[in-house]
């Protein structure tokens, strides 16, 4: 290398250096569209995302969609207009995302999904999806019931199901996984299935209607989340029955409220669904923005907690 060339190269590097430093110092901006505030799970998820962003030095633009897809589409469009570095969202329902995701792609803003999945024509419209395996959660619920039913072979069990938000990944998948497993025992029949929108209020209301029908005895309640189960417990008590005894109750999430209900003998089992996705999401966002390769699907490891272990486990629960 000639001295002139060397001097030019050094000069070039010196000129470039401050630019690079500024880009690296500028905090990464994430636009996050949350489903809503419908459940204990959701509140824990929101708190985790906010705390993790703070810790990672990521500027978070947070929008609550109040369980409405149109609000999420609006929020994503706002994030595009604001030229955020990365968009993360938990899609309220699975379908209807192609257009807005194409808009994000045209603006060269990477999108990561968290918690719930989407159904899109082109999976490259999002970079990665981090969340639980909801079908497996449904299977775990089904397996717990199969084992319990095996203790009393031959007995028929009438099941009522409280589904999550219509069209949402957890409602579709938890129903599917549960059905897949209980098929093995024809004595287990789902006699009613309706959405309780993942909320306590709606869970209570729908359970009241199930109880009023009185045409068939209800033996088991399978609720797609703890909040709906807790709402249903109230309805069952108001109908003069004992939740957890007269009606066996299975739910999903593993929030503190479920552990308290188990300790009170009113809930029989909860299948864990971990909402503390914030730290993993921030790490993922950093990698995506830096152009590093990431896994397309990142799952979360989860357990099953029957009432017998509730007292021992409650002090360890973080949500
Ligand atoms: O189970 C429920 C919440 O998408 C996994 O949404 C989440 C579900 C969770 O409202 O409580």
């Amino acid at each position: 290398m000639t001295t002139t060339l060397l001097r030019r190269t050094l000069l070039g590097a010196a000129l470039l250096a401050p630019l690079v430093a500024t880009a690296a110092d500028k905090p990464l901006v994430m636009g996050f569209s949350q489903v809503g505030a419908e459940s204990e799970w959701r509140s824990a998820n929101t708190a985790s995302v906010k705390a993790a962003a703070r810790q990672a030095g990521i500027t978070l633009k947070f929008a609550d969609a109040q369980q409405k897809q149109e609000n999420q589409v609006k929020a994503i469009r706002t994030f595009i207009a604001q030229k955020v570095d990365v968009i993360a969202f938990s899609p309220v329902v699975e379908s209807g995302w192609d257009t807005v995701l194409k808009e994000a792609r045209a603006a060269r803003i990477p999108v990561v999904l968290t918690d719930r999945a989407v159904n899109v024509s082109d999976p490259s419209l999002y970079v990665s999806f981090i969340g639980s395996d909801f079908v497996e959660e449904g299977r775990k619920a089904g397996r717990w019931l199969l084992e319990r039913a095996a203790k009393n072979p031959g007995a028929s069990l009438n099941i009522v199901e409280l589904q999550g938000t219509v069209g949402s990944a957890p409602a579709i998948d938890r129903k599917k996984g549960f059905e897949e497993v209980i098929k093995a025992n024809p004595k287990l029949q789902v006699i009613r299935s309706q959405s309780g929108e993942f909320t306590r209020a709606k869970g209570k209301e729908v359970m009241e209607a199930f109880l009023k029908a009185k045409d068939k005895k209800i033996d088991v309640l399978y609720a797609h989340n703890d909040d709906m189960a807790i709402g249903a417990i109230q309805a069952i008590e108001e109908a003069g029955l004992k939740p957890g005894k007269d009606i066996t109750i299975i739910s999903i999430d593993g929030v503190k409220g479920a552990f308290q209900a188990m300790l009170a003998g009113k809930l029989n089992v909860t299948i864990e669904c971990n909402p503390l996705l914030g730290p993993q999401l921030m790490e993922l966002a950093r990698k995506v923005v830096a152009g590093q390769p990431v896994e397309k699907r990142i799952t979360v490891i989860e357990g099953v907690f029957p009432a017998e272990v509730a007292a021992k486990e409650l002090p360890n629960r973080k949500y």
Side-chain angles (χ1 to χ4, degrees), residues 230-266:
I230 292 166
I233 285 172
Q234 272 186 38
I236 295 169
E237 287 180 326
E238 284 170 21
L241 294 166
K242 287 203 169 60
K245 297 193 178 68
D246 297 327
I247 299 180
T248 299
I249 308 180
I250 306 166
S251 65
I252 300 185
D253 275 354
V255 296
K256 280 204 177 112
F259 278 78
Q260 279 145 3
M262 288 196 288
L263 284 180
K266 298 177 181 181

PDB file of all heavy atoms in Angstrom, residues 230-266:
ATOM      1  N   ILE A 230     -61.967 -18.943  36.241  1.00  0.00           N
ATOM      2  CA  ILE A 230     -62.269 -18.235  37.494  1.00  0.00           C
ATOM      3  C   ILE A 230     -63.665 -17.597  37.433  1.00  0.00           C
ATOM      4  O   ILE A 230     -64.435 -17.665  38.386  1.00  0.00           O
ATOM      5  CB  ILE A 230     -61.146 -17.218  37.815  1.00  0.00           C
ATOM      6  CG1 ILE A 230     -59.845 -17.982  38.163  1.00  0.00           C
ATOM      7  CG2 ILE A 230     -61.545 -16.279  38.959  1.00  0.00           C
ATOM      8  CD1 ILE A 230     -58.585 -17.157  38.174  1.00  0.00           C
ATOM      9  N   GLY A 231     -64.006 -17.042  36.274  1.00  0.00           N
ATOM     10  CA  GLY A 231     -65.357 -16.500  36.079  1.00  0.00           C
ATOM     11  C   GLY A 231     -66.393 -17.613  36.182  1.00  0.00           C
ATOM     12  O   GLY A 231     -67.439 -17.460  36.839  1.00  0.00           O
ATOM     13  N   ALA A 232     -66.087 -18.757  35.570  1.00  0.00           N
ATOM     14  CA  ALA A 232     -67.022 -19.892  35.576  1.00  0.00           C
ATOM     15  C   ALA A 232     -67.203 -20.442  36.993  1.00  0.00           C
ATOM     16  O   ALA A 232     -68.307 -20.882  37.352  1.00  0.00           O
ATOM     17  CB  ALA A 232     -66.517 -20.983  34.636  1.00  0.00           C
ATOM     18  N   ILE A 233     -66.125 -20.409  37.787  1.00  0.00           N
ATOM     19  CA  ILE A 233     -66.204 -20.898  39.175  1.00  0.00           C
ATOM     20  C   ILE A 233     -67.295 -20.125  39.927  1.00  0.00           C
ATOM     21  O   ILE A 233     -68.106 -20.707  40.647  1.00  0.00           O
ATOM     22  CB  ILE A 233     -64.820 -20.770  39.865  1.00  0.00           C
ATOM     23  CG1 ILE A 233     -63.889 -21.871  39.341  1.00  0.00           C
ATOM     24  CG2 ILE A 233     -64.935 -20.811  41.394  1.00  0.00           C
ATOM     25  CD1 ILE A 233     -62.434 -21.771  39.781  1.00  0.00           C
ATOM     26  N   GLN A 234     -67.338 -18.824  39.705  1.00  0.00           N
ATOM     27  CA  GLN A 234     -68.375 -17.988  40.337  1.00  0.00           C
ATOM     28  C   GLN A 234     -69.757 -18.438  39.913  1.00  0.00           C
ATOM     29  O   GLN A 234     -70.668 -18.573  40.736  1.00  0.00           O
ATOM     30  CB  GLN A 234     -68.200 -16.542  39.898  1.00  0.00           C
ATOM     31  CG  GLN A 234     -67.261 -15.752  40.776  1.00  0.00           C
ATOM     32  CD  GLN A 234     -67.276 -14.280  40.332  1.00  0.00           C
ATOM     33  OE1 GLN A 234     -68.317 -13.739  39.962  1.00  0.00           O
ATOM     34  NE2 GLN A 234     -66.114 -13.659  40.364  1.00  0.00           N
ATOM     35  N   ALA A 235     -69.909 -18.666  38.599  1.00  0.00           N
ATOM     36  CA  ALA A 235     -71.214 -19.089  38.076  1.00  0.00           C
ATOM     37  C   ALA A 235     -71.627 -20.425  38.692  1.00  0.00           C
ATOM     38  O   ALA A 235     -72.790 -20.625  39.057  1.00  0.00           O
ATOM     39  CB  ALA A 235     -71.156 -19.200  36.555  1.00  0.00           C
ATOM     40  N   ILE A 236     -70.670 -21.331  38.825  1.00  0.00           N
ATOM     41  CA  ILE A 236     -70.959 -22.666  39.373  1.00  0.00           C
ATOM     42  C   ILE A 236     -71.399 -22.543  40.838  1.00  0.00           C
ATOM     43  O   ILE A 236     -72.375 -23.165  41.268  1.00  0.00           O
ATOM     44  CB  ILE A 236     -69.720 -23.592  39.212  1.00  0.00           C
ATOM     45  CG1 ILE A 236     -69.441 -23.833  37.721  1.00  0.00           C
ATOM     46  CG2 ILE A 236     -69.913 -24.915  39.951  1.00  0.00           C
ATOM     47  CD1 ILE A 236     -68.104 -24.492  37.412  1.00  0.00           C
ATOM     48  N   GLU A 237     -70.677 -21.689  41.583  1.00  0.00           N
ATOM     49  CA  GLU A 237     -71.049 -21.495  43.001  1.00  0.00           C
ATOM     50  C   GLU A 237     -72.427 -20.869  43.124  1.00  0.00           C
ATOM     51  O   GLU A 237     -73.233 -21.289  43.958  1.00  0.00           O
ATOM     52  CB  GLU A 237     -69.986 -20.637  43.703  1.00  0.00           C
ATOM     53  CG  GLU A 237     -68.710 -21.430  43.939  1.00  0.00           C
ATOM     54  CD  GLU A 237     -67.608 -20.660  44.620  1.00  0.00           C
ATOM     55  OE1 GLU A 237     -67.495 -19.433  44.370  1.00  0.00           O
ATOM     56  OE2 GLU A 237     -66.853 -21.272  45.396  1.00  0.00           O
ATOM     57  N   GLU A 238     -72.693 -19.892  42.277  1.00  0.00           N
ATOM     58  CA  GLU A 238     -74.006 -19.240  42.320  1.00  0.00           C
ATOM     59  C   GLU A 238     -75.135 -20.206  41.953  1.00  0.00           C
ATOM     60  O   GLU A 238     -76.277 -20.006  42.352  1.00  0.00           O
ATOM     61  CB  GLU A 238     -74.022 -18.005  41.403  1.00  0.00           C
ATOM     62  CG  GLU A 238     -73.276 -16.830  42.044  1.00  0.00           C
ATOM     63  CD  GLU A 238     -73.034 -15.659  41.101  1.00  0.00           C
ATOM     64  OE1 GLU A 238     -73.743 -15.539  40.082  1.00  0.00           O
ATOM     65  OE2 GLU A 238     -72.121 -14.863  41.400  1.00  0.00           O
ATOM     66  N   ALA A 239     -74.779 -21.248  41.201  1.00  0.00           N
ATOM     67  CA  ALA A 239     -75.800 -22.247  40.847  1.00  0.00           C
ATOM     68  C   ALA A 239     -75.926 -23.319  41.939  1.00  0.00           C
ATOM     69  O   ALA A 239     -76.625 -24.319  41.764  1.00  0.00           O
ATOM     70  CB  ALA A 239     -75.441 -22.892  39.507  1.00  0.00           C
ATOM     71  N   GLY A 240     -75.201 -23.110  43.051  1.00  0.00           N
ATOM     72  CA  GLY A 240     -75.304 -24.025  44.185  1.00  0.00           C
ATOM     73  C   GLY A 240     -74.464 -25.287  44.054  1.00  0.00           C
ATOM     74  O   GLY A 240     -74.678 -26.263  44.782  1.00  0.00           O
ATOM     75  N   LEU A 241     -73.517 -25.274  43.130  1.00  0.00           N
ATOM     76  CA  LEU A 241     -72.655 -26.455  42.952  1.00  0.00           C
ATOM     77  C   LEU A 241     -71.237 -26.154  43.452  1.00  0.00           C
ATOM     78  O   LEU A 241     -70.864 -24.992  43.626  1.00  0.00           O
ATOM     79  CB  LEU A 241     -72.601 -26.837  41.468  1.00  0.00           C
ATOM     80  CG  LEU A 241     -73.913 -27.317  40.851  1.00  0.00           C
ATOM     81  CD1 LEU A 241     -73.810 -27.339  39.328  1.00  0.00           C
ATOM     82  CD2 LEU A 241     -74.289 -28.696  41.378  1.00  0.00           C
ATOM     83  N   LYS A 242     -70.453 -27.238  43.641  1.00  0.00           N
ATOM     84  CA  LYS A 242     -69.087 -27.067  44.138  1.00  0.00           C
ATOM     85  C   LYS A 242     -68.079 -27.199  42.990  1.00  0.00           C
ATOM     86  O   LYS A 242     -67.840 -28.311  42.501  1.00  0.00           O
ATOM     87  CB  LYS A 242     -68.786 -28.121  45.212  1.00  0.00           C
ATOM     88  CG  LYS A 242     -69.477 -27.869  46.529  1.00  0.00           C
ATOM     89  CD  LYS A 242     -68.710 -28.568  47.665  1.00  0.00           C
ATOM     90  CE  LYS A 242     -69.197 -28.148  49.024  1.00  0.00           C
ATOM     91  NZ  LYS A 242     -70.646 -28.458  49.233  1.00  0.00           N
ATOM     92  N   PRO A 243     -67.446 -26.066  42.605  1.00  0.00           N
ATOM     93  CA  PRO A 243     -66.435 -26.145  41.544  1.00  0.00           C
ATOM     94  C   PRO A 243     -65.241 -26.963  42.025  1.00  0.00           C
ATOM     95  O   PRO A 243     -64.840 -26.869  43.182  1.00  0.00           O
ATOM     96  CB  PRO A 243     -66.035 -24.681  41.314  1.00  0.00           C
ATOM     97  CG  PRO A 243     -66.453 -23.955  42.550  1.00  0.00           C
ATOM     98  CD  PRO A 243     -67.606 -24.702  43.125  1.00  0.00           C
ATOM     99  N   GLY A 244     -64.696 -27.790  41.156  1.00  0.00           N
ATOM    100  CA  GLY A 244     -63.550 -28.622  41.541  1.00  0.00           C
ATOM    101  C   GLY A 244     -63.994 -29.953  42.126  1.00  0.00           C
ATOM    102  O   GLY A 244     -63.180 -30.870  42.237  1.00  0.00           O
ATOM    103  N   LYS A 245     -65.281 -30.038  42.496  1.00  0.00           N
ATOM    104  CA  LYS A 245     -65.801 -31.302  43.065  1.00  0.00           C
ATOM    105  C   LYS A 245     -66.969 -31.801  42.217  1.00  0.00           C
ATOM    106  O   LYS A 245     -66.868 -32.825  41.564  1.00  0.00           O
ATOM    107  CB  LYS A 245     -66.211 -31.105  44.528  1.00  0.00           C
ATOM    108  CG  LYS A 245     -64.993 -30.721  45.353  1.00  0.00           C
ATOM    109  CD  LYS A 245     -65.169 -30.782  46.833  1.00  0.00           C
ATOM    110  CE  LYS A 245     -63.859 -30.419  47.530  1.00  0.00           C
ATOM    111  NZ  LYS A 245     -63.477 -28.984  47.343  1.00  0.00           N
ATOM    112  N   ASP A 246     -68.080 -31.040  42.217  1.00  0.00           N
ATOM    113  CA  ASP A 246     -69.208 -31.448  41.375  1.00  0.00           C
ATOM    114  C   ASP A 246     -68.815 -31.355  39.898  1.00  0.00           C
ATOM    115  O   ASP A 246     -69.269 -32.138  39.075  1.00  0.00           O
ATOM    116  CB  ASP A 246     -70.419 -30.543  41.631  1.00  0.00           C
ATOM    117  CG  ASP A 246     -70.914 -30.662  43.073  1.00  0.00           C
ATOM    118  OD1 ASP A 246     -70.801 -31.765  43.628  1.00  0.00           O
ATOM    119  OD2 ASP A 246     -71.384 -29.648  43.637  1.00  0.00           O
ATOM    120  N   ILE A 247     -68.037 -30.347  39.594  1.00  0.00           N
ATOM    121  CA  ILE A 247     -67.554 -30.183  38.214  1.00  0.00           C
ATOM    122  C   ILE A 247     -66.028 -30.092  38.270  1.00  0.00           C
ATOM    123  O   ILE A 247     -65.474 -29.243  38.984  1.00  0.00           O
ATOM    124  CB  ILE A 247     -68.146 -28.907  37.553  1.00  0.00           C
ATOM    125  CG1 ILE A 247     -69.688 -29.022  37.493  1.00  0.00           C
ATOM    126  CG2 ILE A 247     -67.541 -28.683  36.154  1.00  0.00           C
ATOM    127  CD1 ILE A 247     -70.386 -27.831  36.852  1.00  0.00           C
ATOM    128  N   THR A 248     -65.368 -30.975  37.550  1.00  0.00           N
ATOM    129  CA  THR A 248     -63.901 -30.962  37.472  1.00  0.00           C
ATOM    130  C   THR A 248     -63.496 -29.822  36.538  1.00  0.00           C
ATOM    131  O   THR A 248     -64.078 -29.685  35.461  1.00  0.00           O
ATOM    132  CB  THR A 248     -63.403 -32.314  36.907  1.00  0.00           C
ATOM    133  OG1 THR A 248     -63.825 -33.337  37.803  1.00  0.00           O
ATOM    134  CG2 THR A 248     -61.897 -32.352  36.756  1.00  0.00           C
ATOM    135  N   ILE A 249     -62.517 -29.026  36.964  1.00  0.00           N
ATOM    136  CA  ILE A 249     -62.150 -27.876  36.131  1.00  0.00           C
ATOM    137  C   ILE A 249     -60.670 -27.912  35.715  1.00  0.00           C
ATOM    138  O   ILE A 249     -59.768 -28.039  36.543  1.00  0.00           O
ATOM    139  CB  ILE A 249     -62.481 -26.547  36.838  1.00  0.00           C
ATOM    140  CG1 ILE A 249     -63.951 -26.560  37.310  1.00  0.00           C
ATOM    141  CG2 ILE A 249     -62.215 -25.360  35.904  1.00  0.00           C
ATOM    142  CD1 ILE A 249     -64.391 -25.301  38.021  1.00  0.00           C
ATOM    143  N   ILE A 250     -60.485 -27.778  34.405  1.00  0.00           N
ATOM    144  CA  ILE A 250     -59.148 -27.797  33.797  1.00  0.00           C
ATOM    145  C   ILE A 250     -58.979 -26.458  33.091  1.00  0.00           C
ATOM    146  O   ILE A 250     -59.879 -26.045  32.346  1.00  0.00           O
ATOM    147  CB  ILE A 250     -59.064 -28.891  32.697  1.00  0.00           C
ATOM    148  CG1 ILE A 250     -59.494 -30.244  33.249  1.00  0.00           C
ATOM    149  CG2 ILE A 250     -57.689 -28.945  32.068  1.00  0.00           C
ATOM    150  CD1 ILE A 250     -59.751 -31.280  32.152  1.00  0.00           C
ATOM    151  N   SER A 251     -57.856 -25.769  33.306  1.00  0.00           N
ATOM    152  CA  SER A 251     -57.654 -24.551  32.524  1.00  0.00           C
ATOM    153  C   SER A 251     -56.192 -24.383  32.144  1.00  0.00           C
ATOM    154  O   SER A 251     -55.350 -25.217  32.493  1.00  0.00           O
ATOM    155  CB  SER A 251     -58.209 -23.321  33.247  1.00  0.00           C
ATOM    156  OG  SER A 251     -57.494 -23.081  34.433  1.00  0.00           O
ATOM    157  N   ILE A 252     -55.920 -23.321  31.447  1.00  0.00           N
ATOM    158  CA  ILE A 252     -54.573 -23.098  30.887  1.00  0.00           C
ATOM    159  C   ILE A 252     -54.071 -21.697  31.254  1.00  0.00           C
ATOM    160  O   ILE A 252     -54.867 -20.754  31.305  1.00  0.00           O
ATOM    161  CB  ILE A 252     -54.598 -23.263  29.345  1.00  0.00           C
ATOM    162  CG1 ILE A 252     -55.065 -24.675  28.985  1.00  0.00           C
ATOM    163  CG2 ILE A 252     -53.223 -22.961  28.725  1.00  0.00           C
ATOM    164  CD1 ILE A 252     -55.027 -25.030  27.518  1.00  0.00           C
ATOM    165  N   ASP A 253     -52.814 -21.559  31.502  1.00  0.00           N
ATOM    166  CA  ASP A 253     -52.019 -20.344  31.749  1.00  0.00           C
ATOM    167  C   ASP A 253     -51.115 -20.554  32.968  1.00  0.00           C
ATOM    168  O   ASP A 253     -49.921 -20.328  32.876  1.00  0.00           O
ATOM    169  CB  ASP A 253     -52.853 -19.067  31.998  1.00  0.00           C
ATOM    170  CG  ASP A 253     -53.274 -18.371  30.703  1.00  0.00           C
ATOM    171  OD1 ASP A 253     -52.831 -18.813  29.626  1.00  0.00           O
ATOM    172  OD2 ASP A 253     -54.045 -17.389  30.765  1.00  0.00           O
ATOM    173  N   GLY A 254     -51.715 -20.927  34.117  1.00  0.00           N
ATOM    174  CA  GLY A 254     -50.888 -21.078  35.319  1.00  0.00           C
ATOM    175  C   GLY A 254     -50.604 -19.754  35.998  1.00  0.00           C
ATOM    176  O   GLY A 254     -49.535 -19.564  36.583  1.00  0.00           O
ATOM    177  N   VAL A 255     -51.568 -18.819  35.970  1.00  0.00           N
ATOM    178  CA  VAL A 255     -51.383 -17.536  36.673  1.00  0.00           C
ATOM    179  C   VAL A 255     -51.665 -17.728  38.166  1.00  0.00           C
ATOM    180  O   VAL A 255     -52.264 -18.739  38.561  1.00  0.00           O
ATOM    181  CB  VAL A 255     -52.295 -16.419  36.090  1.00  0.00           C
ATOM    182  CG1 VAL A 255     -51.923 -16.117  34.639  1.00  0.00           C
ATOM    183  CG2 VAL A 255     -53.768 -16.781  36.203  1.00  0.00           C
ATOM    184  N   LYS A 256     -51.246 -16.742  38.951  1.00  0.00           N
ATOM    185  CA  LYS A 256     -51.413 -16.865  40.413  1.00  0.00           C
ATOM    186  C   LYS A 256     -52.863 -17.132  40.811  1.00  0.00           C
ATOM    187  O   LYS A 256     -53.128 -17.934  41.699  1.00  0.00           O
ATOM    188  CB  LYS A 256     -50.930 -15.586  41.100  1.00  0.00           C
ATOM    189  CG  LYS A 256     -49.421 -15.561  41.244  1.00  0.00           C
ATOM    190  CD  LYS A 256     -48.978 -14.661  42.381  1.00  0.00           C
ATOM    191  CE  LYS A 256     -47.474 -14.733  42.535  1.00  0.00           C
ATOM    192  NZ  LYS A 256     -46.794 -13.489  42.184  1.00  0.00           N
ATOM    193  N   GLY A 257     -53.800 -16.456  40.140  1.00  0.00           N
ATOM    194  CA  GLY A 257     -55.223 -16.638  40.450  1.00  0.00           C
ATOM    195  C   GLY A 257     -55.637 -18.096  40.357  1.00  0.00           C
ATOM    196  O   GLY A 257     -56.472 -18.574  41.124  1.00  0.00           O
ATOM    197  N   ALA A 258     -55.028 -18.825  39.422  1.00  0.00           N
ATOM    198  CA  ALA A 258     -55.343 -20.252  39.259  1.00  0.00           C
ATOM    199  C   ALA A 258     -54.782 -21.049  40.427  1.00  0.00           C
ATOM    200  O   ALA A 258     -55.430 -21.972  40.926  1.00  0.00           O
ATOM    201  CB  ALA A 258     -54.766 -20.766  37.943  1.00  0.00           C
ATOM    202  N   PHE A 259     -53.597 -20.685  40.871  1.00  0.00           N
ATOM    203  CA  PHE A 259     -53.000 -21.390  42.020  1.00  0.00           C
ATOM    204  C   PHE A 259     -53.832 -21.146  43.273  1.00  0.00           C
ATOM    205  O   PHE A 259     -54.040 -22.055  44.078  1.00  0.00           O
ATOM    206  CB  PHE A 259     -51.536 -20.967  42.215  1.00  0.00           C
ATOM    207  CG  PHE A 259     -50.621 -21.713  41.282  1.00  0.00           C
ATOM    208  CD1 PHE A 259     -50.511 -21.349  39.946  1.00  0.00           C
ATOM    209  CD2 PHE A 259     -49.923 -22.823  41.713  1.00  0.00           C
ATOM    210  CE1 PHE A 259     -49.718 -22.064  39.064  1.00  0.00           C
ATOM    211  CE2 PHE A 259     -49.118 -23.555  40.844  1.00  0.00           C
ATOM    212  CZ  PHE A 259     -49.012 -23.174  39.523  1.00  0.00           C
ATOM    213  N   GLN A 260     -54.329 -19.918  43.435  1.00  0.00           N
ATOM    214  CA  GLN A 260     -55.181 -19.622  44.588  1.00  0.00           C
ATOM    215  C   GLN A 260     -56.470 -20.434  44.515  1.00  0.00           C
ATOM    216  O   GLN A 260     -56.919 -20.992  45.517  1.00  0.00           O
ATOM    217  CB  GLN A 260     -55.454 -18.117  44.675  1.00  0.00           C
ATOM    218  CG  GLN A 260     -54.285 -17.390  45.338  1.00  0.00           C
ATOM    219  CD  GLN A 260     -54.038 -15.998  44.773  1.00  0.00           C
ATOM    220  OE1 GLN A 260     -54.789 -15.531  43.908  1.00  0.00           O
ATOM    221  NE2 GLN A 260     -52.993 -15.341  45.244  1.00  0.00           N
ATOM    222  N   ALA A 261     -57.036 -20.522  43.313  1.00  0.00           N
ATOM    223  CA  ALA A 261     -58.278 -21.308  43.148  1.00  0.00           C
ATOM    224  C   ALA A 261     -58.011 -22.784  43.449  1.00  0.00           C
ATOM    225  O   ALA A 261     -58.848 -23.463  44.046  1.00  0.00           O
ATOM    226  CB  ALA A 261     -58.824 -21.133  41.731  1.00  0.00           C
ATOM    227  N   MET A 262     -56.832 -23.286  43.064  1.00  0.00           N
ATOM    228  CA  MET A 262     -56.505 -24.695  43.352  1.00  0.00           C
ATOM    229  C   MET A 262     -56.369 -24.898  44.857  1.00  0.00           C
ATOM    230  O   MET A 262     -56.849 -25.893  45.400  1.00  0.00           O
ATOM    231  CB  MET A 262     -55.232 -25.113  42.623  1.00  0.00           C
ATOM    232  CG  MET A 262     -55.439 -25.269  41.118  1.00  0.00           C
ATOM    233  SD  MET A 262     -54.112 -26.178  40.278  1.00  0.00           S
ATOM    234  CE  MET A 262     -52.779 -25.009  40.308  1.00  0.00           C
ATOM    235  N   LEU A 263     -55.719 -23.921  45.528  1.00  0.00           N
ATOM    236  CA  LEU A 263     -55.564 -24.036  46.987  1.00  0.00           C
ATOM    237  C   LEU A 263     -56.912 -24.038  47.688  1.00  0.00           C
ATOM    238  O   LEU A 263     -57.085 -24.686  48.720  1.00  0.00           O
ATOM    239  CB  LEU A 263     -54.705 -22.883  47.521  1.00  0.00           C
ATOM    240  CG  LEU A 263     -53.207 -23.037  47.254  1.00  0.00           C
ATOM    241  CD1 LEU A 263     -52.443 -21.858  47.811  1.00  0.00           C
ATOM    242  CD2 LEU A 263     -52.683 -24.336  47.860  1.00  0.00           C
ATOM    243  N   ALA A 264     -57.869 -23.329  47.115  1.00  0.00           N
ATOM    244  CA  ALA A 264     -59.217 -23.286  47.694  1.00  0.00           C
ATOM    245  C   ALA A 264     -60.031 -24.514  47.276  1.00  0.00           C
ATOM    246  O   ALA A 264     -61.216 -24.623  47.623  1.00  0.00           O
ATOM    247  CB  ALA A 264     -59.914 -22.004  47.251  1.00  0.00           C
ATOM    248  N   GLY A 265     -59.432 -25.403  46.500  1.00  0.00           N
ATOM    249  CA  GLY A 265     -60.105 -26.642  46.083  1.00  0.00           C
ATOM    250  C   GLY A 265     -61.114 -26.442  44.967  1.00  0.00           C
ATOM    251  O   GLY A 265     -61.960 -27.300  44.725  1.00  0.00           O
ATOM    252  N   LYS A 266     -61.016 -25.295  44.258  1.00  0.00           N
ATOM    253  CA  LYS A 266     -62.044 -24.984  43.256  1.00  0.00           C
ATOM    254  C   LYS A 266     -61.602 -25.217  41.810  1.00  0.00           C
ATOM    255  O   LYS A 266     -62.395 -25.094  40.879  1.00  0.00           O
ATOM    256  CB  LYS A 266     -62.481 -23.518  43.415  1.00  0.00           C
ATOM    257  CG  LYS A 266     -63.100 -23.256  44.781  1.00  0.00           C
ATOM    258  CD  LYS A 266     -63.472 -21.812  44.974  1.00  0.00           C
ATOM    259  CE  LYS A 266     -64.062 -21.611  46.366  1.00  0.00           C
ATOM    260  NZ  LYS A 266     -64.453 -20.224  46.598  1.00  0.00           N
TER     261      LYS A 266
END
